[in-house]
Amino acid sequence: MTLRFGTAGLRGPVGEGPGCMNVPVVVRTTAGLAAWLIEQGSGGGTVVVGRDARTGSAEFFDAAAEVLAAAGFDVVALPRPLPTPVTAYAVRALDAVAGVQITASHNPAADNGYKVYLAGGAQLVSPADREIEAAIDAAPPAADVPRAPVSASGGELVDRYLERVASLPRSTYRNLRSA
């Protein structure tokens, strides 16, 4: 059984084989995403890659960034484990063609995942998810997918994100049960 896209990406237990999250699955998924982006006319555009601190996130982050770089994309690799909204913000702020966040969000701690954002910072939706899955199915074996080294960047984006969040209006909380 192969992992399939669910809510904006892949999620599953970290382990071996195509039904788990591992480096070969991330490499092939990223190769499929890159092929789909190129087919959509977004080749060479900026793609933001972020990660959380879950098991495997650093290795999956490196794999995704390196595959995108080798495919000719301008990769902005966020500098450290960060919350998912930072990647969505960075996609919008940089007018990027896509973003990848390595995270399993609210899934069990033994899981990890691969969340995709499209241009504008919107989460992946149908029919793009099925089109990307078809491109993943057509991708070569992970060992045959080119990879190129990527250096972390994007530290200034984190600062801009924090400034933006700090500038949002604060509200007073009320007891919704009494409303």
Side-chain angles (χ1 to χ4, degrees):
M1 177 98 173
T2 307
L3 286 181
R4 295 314 231 179
F5 280 127
T7 307
L10 303 173
R11 281 172 199 74
V14 175
E16 295 182 21
C20 293
M21 285 296 297
N22 52 61
V23 170
V25 165
V26 170
V27 167
R28 290 193 74 239
T29 298
T30 308
L33 173 63
W36 181 82
L37 287 168
I38 291 166
E39 182 180 295
Q40 301 300 308
S42 297
T46 299
V47 179
V48 177
V49 181
R51 67 181 171 102
D52 64 13
R54 283 178 178 252
T55 300
S57 287
E59 295 82 8
F60 302 161
F61 168 87
D62 289 342
E66 291 171 358
V67 169
L68 288 162
F73 291 91
D74 178 21
V75 177
V76 175
L78 295 177
R80 61 183 182 276
L82 292 161
T84 301
V86 177
T87 299
Y89 169 83
V91 170
R92 285 189 307 272
L94 296 174
D95 197 27
V97 298
V100 172
Q101 174 74 13
I102 305 298
T103 183
S105 301
H106 57 277
N107 287 40
D111 289 3
N112 210 326
Y114 184 103
K115 183 173 257 198
V116 177
Y117 291 94
L118 300 178
Q123 288 189 38
L124 179 67
V125 294
S126 200
D129 56 354
R130 301 299 163 233
E131 294 168 355
I132 295 168
E133 281 184 341
I136 295 166
D137 290 342
D144 296 338
V145 175
R147 294 172 65 170
V150 174
S151 297
S153 57
E156 71 287 345
L157 283 167
V158 176
D159 294 339
R160 287 172 45 197
Y161 171 80
L162 292 172
E163 288 171 14
R164 174 72 178 111
V165 169
S167 74
L168 294 173
R170 296 174 190 231
S171 65
T172 55
Y173 294 95
R174 61 185 173 127
N175 183 343
L176 297 178
R177 291 183 186 181
S178 65

